[in-house]
């Protein structure tokens, strides 16, 4: 059993989060994803709206690590955290209560692959979307460590053929939910940055531009940043 489940907690950036199976255990790369978003928040210019209106959507919240870390460091932020797993949402809620940020967090049980319209109804317009989605290629799942396959929810890992099922849905949600100039921050497989750019070129009227690829601490292409350039729908 992973040590995080044995001791029932784990550190994520400056936070200590409760952990229990089968909720996905956040990895060090996801701490870098949060750092990427926080750097964007630090460098963005003065918002026209009230700071209290800064709002984001996280798809696949798991233990809540990403949303809770951002809410902890950015008191002007409010979040909508979506996951299809009731175990994940219960753990996110518990961690949010312990950290004192639950009043700024809306927790929603939805499967983005089945009900994207409900996601849009729940979140409304958002300033940015952040996600560490299921991105493991279906054919690569058997190659994962046995401990991962035995204890962690495989739905939080399996991205389908090519690992792009949830990623493509997030991009489609972004075309409708993001405010103009809003951004999408994704953690992905190193093969995905080129695949995402190819997918965007194959689509029409999505209003998204691929902005950047960032490498993780191992030098792999791990993070994608996209931006909404068209007006809000």
């Amino acid at each position: 059993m992973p040590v995080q489940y044995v001791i029932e907690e784990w550190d994520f950036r400056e936070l200590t989060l409760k952990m229990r199976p089968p909720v996905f255990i956040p990895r060090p790369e996801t701490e870098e994803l949060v750092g990427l978003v926080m750097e964007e928040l630090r460098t963005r210019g003065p918002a026209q709206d009230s700071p209290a209106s800064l709002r984001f959507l996280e798809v696949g919240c798991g233990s809540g690590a990403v949303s809770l870390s951002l809410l902890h460091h950015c008191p002007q932020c409010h979040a909508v955290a979506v996951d299809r797993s009731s175990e994940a949402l219960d753990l996110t809620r518990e961690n949010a209560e312990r950290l004192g940020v639950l009043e700024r967090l809306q927790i929603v049980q939805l499967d983005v692959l089945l009900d994207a319209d409900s996601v849009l109804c729940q979140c409304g317009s958002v300033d940015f979307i952040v996600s560490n989605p299921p991105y493991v290629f279906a054919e690569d799942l058997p190659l994962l460590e046995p401990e991962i396959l035995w204890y962690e929810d495989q739905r939080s890992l399996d991205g389908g053929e090519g690992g792009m099922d949830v990623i493509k849905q997030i991009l489609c949600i972004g075309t409708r939910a993001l405010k103009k100039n809003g951004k999408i921050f994704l953690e992905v497989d190193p093969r995905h940055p080129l695949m995402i750019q190819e997918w965007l070129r194959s689509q029409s009227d999505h209003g998204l531009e691929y902005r950047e690829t960032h490498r993780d601490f191992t030098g792999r292409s791990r993070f994608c940043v996209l931006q909404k350039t068209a007006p809000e729908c």
Side-chain angles (χ1 to χ4, degrees):
M1 177 178 284
V3 65
Q4 294 91 338
Y5 294 152
V6 174
I7 65 175
E8 299 184 345
E9 64 180 26
W10 198 243
D11 290 342
F12 183 87
R13 295 179 67 90
E14 292 85 0
L15 306 180
T16 298
L17 302 172
K18 298 293 291 183
M19 292 287 154
R20 57 177 172 263
V23 180
F24 183 74
I25 299 166
R27 270 55 171 186
E29 293 88 345
T30 308
E31 296 189 30
E32 295 183 84
L33 175 66
V34 172
L36 194 63
V37 177
M38 290 180 62
E39 182 62 26
E40 168 71 18
L41 295 177
R42 282 192 292 265
T43 58
R44 64 184 290 164
Q48 294 180 350
D49 297 332
S50 164
S53 68
L54 194 62
R55 183 175 173 87
F56 70 88
L57 167 67
E58 183 188 5
V59 176
C61 60
S63 65
V66 172
S67 285
L68 301 182
S69 186
L70 290 169
L71 291 173
H72 177 76
H73 287 285
C74 305
Q76 75 273 26
C77 284
H78 294 249
V80 179
V82 173
D83 205 295
R84 58 186 168 186
S85 164
S86 59
E87 294 95 340
L89 295 175
D90 288 344
L91 190 56
T92 291
R93 183 175 291 104
E94 180 180 336
N95 281 322
E97 288 176 341
R98 293 175 66 244
L99 295 168
V101 298
L102 186 58
E103 71 279 1
R104 291 187 284 124
L105 178 63
Q106 182 182 350
I107 299 170
V108 182
Q109 184 172 10
L110 283 172
D111 187 336
V112 297
L113 292 176
L114 300 178
D115 203 356
D117 286 340
S118 291
V119 176
L120 293 164
C121 290
Q122 292 287 342
C123 73
S125 294
V126 294
D127 295 276
F128 64 92
I129 297 171
V130 60
S131 182
N132 173 21
Y135 61 71
V136 177
F137 288 48
E139 58 268 32
D140 292 342
L141 277 174
L143 305 178
L144 296 176
E145 294 291 333
E147 190 175 62
I148 294 174
L149 297 175
W150 291 338
Y151 291 104
E152 294 187 75
D153 187 349
Q154 291 192 34
R155 295 179 303 170
S156 64
L157 300 163
D158 186 358
E161 184 178 356
M164 288 275 289
D165 286 0
V166 177
I167 291 171
K168 288 189 287 188
Q169 193 73 316
I170 291 170
L171 299 180
C172 292
I173 290 170
T175 65
R176 300 167 65 187
L178 282 173
K179 299 177 182 178
K180 186 177 180 181
N181 298 322
K183 291 186 176 181
I184 301 174
F185 300 87
L186 296 173
E187 179 180 331
V188 298
D189 182 277
R191 292 167 285 184
H192 281 143
L194 290 178
M195 293 173 66
I196 290 172
Q197 292 174 71
E198 291 173 1
W199 185 82
L200 289 173
R201 286 192 290 268
S202 73
Q203 306 299 306
S204 60
D205 301 325
H206 51 69
L208 295 174
E209 288 191 12
Y210 192 96
R211 291 300 193 194
E212 299 170 306
T213 302
H214 292 264
R215 296 182 182 274
D216 63 19
F217 63 90
T218 69
R220 295 181 175 90
S221 298
R222 183 65 67 188
F223 311 107
C224 301
V225 182
L226 302 93
Q227 188 167 31
K228 173 81 172 286
T229 57
E232 295 175 53
C233 299

